[in-house]
Amino acid sequence: MSVIKIKNPRTGDHDYEIMPPSEKELKAVAGRLREAQPAWHAMGPEKRGAVLLKFADAIARHREELVACLANDTGRHFISAIEVDGSIGAIKRWAAAARGLIEGAKETGQSAAMPHLAFKTNVRPYALVGCISPWNFPLTLSLIDAIPALMAGCAVLLKPSEVTSRFAAPLQGALTEVPELEAVFDIVLGGGETGAQLVTSVDAVCFTGSVATGRKVGAAAAAAFIPAFLELGGKDPAIVLPSADIDRATTALLRGSIANTGQACQSIERIYVHADIADAFEAQLVEKANAVTLNTQDMSHGQIGPFIFDQQAEIVEAQIEDAKAKGARVLAGGALEDHGGKWLRPTVLADVTPDMALMTQETFGPVLPLTRFDDLEAAISMANESAYGLSAAVFAGTAEEAQEVAARLDVGAVSINDASLTSMMHEAEKNSFKLSGLGASRMGASGLTRFLRKQAILINEGAVTPIAAFDEANAG
């Protein structure tokens, strides 16, 4: 393995590096974690929760260093602070909920067909869960699977994206302050080769990232005969009905499309607005988009940051150029700005058509393509014409009207009169439709219970059936 150099997204400089482990070293880490897991499981949820609360306190002590590393990795400060504080909150949530969820997963009962047979179920965690996380929310999406897996009684091996891996050092520092957790939770750094090795070293894998890489992880997991929980891309639509509050809709959709520079799987990437309100909607959206500020000069000022990953900037630029070549009009933004790193102002486009790349491929940038519709059936059809089915948004005069439309969208979650709410609230269970994911939900109770396997205990409370009962002479 060779050193991987990491680029600062604000300056463009390669100012950090990581050394991936050898396959032998990775296997050794996995073996150590697996050996420690039975004792961790035997502690029970209350004691595991108490240990994880110590970890939350340790993260709080390392908050300043974590925020600084995340900011250097991503080029934005405010969301980095949200990541750290939100992760502490998530640990506390799972620590409080785990016992009830684990006990609730157990069942007892009596057979209806054979009343003398009783049953109960035990729950057994996977010994070692691997988590492969992406670069857009480095800490949040590293811990979103790891923490509930740990609370379920699993050991966890985490591989964050090599693009944004500076935060791993202070996170590892927090781990060393909690020896009970350090025994069952570790971090390895590296690229795709390390991720592939991780999949063959664990008993279940969680992956967040692109569909292309998700397919590879899923295939490798199938070959290893382990479950894969895949959270992949999105091409989220929004439908704005004629009864919608235009000011509310434009405010929500701008934020839902460009927050974190649009580098979020649940970003709104297609907007369908009714023709009756389209002119007013377009005017307000463009006005608000033009008022957005970049944090080019000072990370502490400005509403959106640079592209974290240069390759993503190139993808977004190519999609905009493709749209322009096919007749789209740029109403705001539209051109990359180079300030060492690469920035893009909120880009609003009109006259988009379904054959444009930005209407079919995931954009992952601050781009808002507008399509007008006259017929609601057509809008629903256009919204559903996608290989993705992660989430969506509907705006209407009442929540009830919006919900009628939401029920017909082929997505796992729909924000009503707001956008991208799945990034803010994780208590509601949802499934990813189509290419947006595979496996049990990471949201709601399933976020923890998916790491538990059920073992049935069958108890005969009556007489044992003799072999004579199967004599052919007994056939009617």
Side-chain angles (χ1 to χ4, degrees), residues 271-344:
I271 301 174
Y272 301 98
V273 57
H274 195 277
D276 287 354
I277 61 169
D279 286 343
F281 179 95
E282 184 180 284
Q284 282 200 31
L285 185 62
V286 169
E287 180 183 5
K288 292 175 182 179
N290 284 332
V292 171
T293 55
L294 308 183
N295 72 347
T296 52
Q297 301 301 316
D298 181 352
M299 202 188 308
S300 300
H301 299 279
Q303 295 161 351
I304 60 175
F307 281 97
I308 296 171
F309 191 30
D310 276 358
Q311 183 179 332
Q312 197 61 45
E314 294 166 5
I315 291 170
V316 175
E317 183 177 41
Q319 288 189 8
I320 294 170
E321 292 306 311
D322 170 75
K324 289 163 60 179
K326 293 175 179 175
R329 291 182 296 119
V330 177
L331 307 180
L336 284 182
E337 299 181 18
D338 193 328
H339 301 275
K342 298 183 184 301
W343 277 259
L344 178 67

Side-chain angles (χ1 to χ4, degrees), residues 351-434:
D351 299 336
V352 295
T353 53
D355 62 320
M356 297 174 181
L358 60 77
M359 295 300 286
T360 57
Q361 301 171 14
E362 187 171 33
T363 300
F364 230 60
V367 180
L368 302 89
L370 303 181
T371 298
R372 300 185 180 208
F373 71 89
D374 294 297
D375 177 62
L376 178 57
E377 294 300 316
I380 293 172
S381 177
M382 288 187 290
N384 285 336
E385 286 177 359
S386 174
Y388 298 97
L390 190 62
S391 48
V394 181
F395 292 81
T398 66
E400 291 74 21
E401 183 185 5
Q403 287 179 73
E404 290 179 5
V405 175
R408 300 177 60 191
L409 298 179
D410 296 334
V411 297
V414 184
S415 298
I416 301 298
N417 286 330
D418 206 336
S420 305
L421 293 179
T422 56
S423 66
M424 303 179 188
M425 197 269 278
H426 297 171
E427 284 79 5
E429 185 172 335
K430 71 176 184 68
N431 292 113
S432 298
F433 289 21
K434 305 179 186 177

Side-chain angles (χ1 to χ4, degrees), residues 148-231:
L150 288 162
M151 277 306 311
C154 311
V156 171
L157 181 56
L158 166 67
K159 191 207 84 68
S161 169
E162 69 277 18
V163 176
T164 51
S165 50
R166 299 169 211 253
F167 79 96
L171 186 65
Q172 194 86 56
L175 260 178
T176 62
E177 297 177 15
V178 190
E180 308 101 312
L181 188 60
E182 189 180 21
V184 290
F185 183 26
D186 209 344
I187 305 166
V188 292
L189 302 180
E193 186 177 349
T194 302
Q197 293 166 0
L198 181 145
V199 174
T200 63
S201 305
V202 298
D203 303 302
V205 63
C206 300
F207 170 80
T208 306
S210 70
V211 172
T213 306
R215 286 184 185 276
K216 295 177 182 178
V217 172
F225 221 70
I226 64 171
F229 306 106
L230 308 177
E231 186 81 6

Side-chain angles (χ1 to χ4, degrees), residues 15-138:
D15 57 4
Y16 191 72
E17 61 184 33
I18 59 173
M19 171 60 80
S22 68
E23 185 171 7
K24 182 179 179 181
E25 289 169 334
L26 188 148
K27 297 289 186 185
V29 173
R32 175 180 60 77
L33 296 174
R34 196 185 298 279
E35 288 179 7
Q37 184 271 335
W40 173 250
H41 177 224
M43 290 173 65
E46 292 93 343
K47 290 183 179 179
R48 290 197 296 272
V51 172
L52 279 164
L53 290 176
K54 292 181 184 177
F55 183 47
D57 291 340
I59 289 175
R61 288 191 292 272
H62 288 262
R63 182 182 186 276
E64 187 173 332
E65 187 181 2
L66 277 164
V67 171
C69 287
L70 289 167
N72 280 329
D73 268 337
T74 63
R76 49 20 174 208
H77 182 271
F78 180 70
I79 294 176
S80 297
I82 290 176
E83 284 202 65
V84 177
D85 295 339
S87 294
I88 293 170
I91 292 171
K92 293 178 179 179
R93 168 195 162 209
W94 285 119
R99 176 182 171 82
L101 293 175
I102 293 169
E103 291 302 314
K106 301 175 183 178
E107 299 173 303
T108 59
Q110 211 81 19
S111 169
M114 306 180 75
H116 62 289
L117 296 183
F119 69 88
K120 67 177 183 177
T121 55
N122 294 334
V123 290
R124 300 276 296 277
Y126 292 100
L128 179 58
V129 172
C131 297
I132 303 174
S133 58
W135 46 261
N136 55 328
F137 294 98

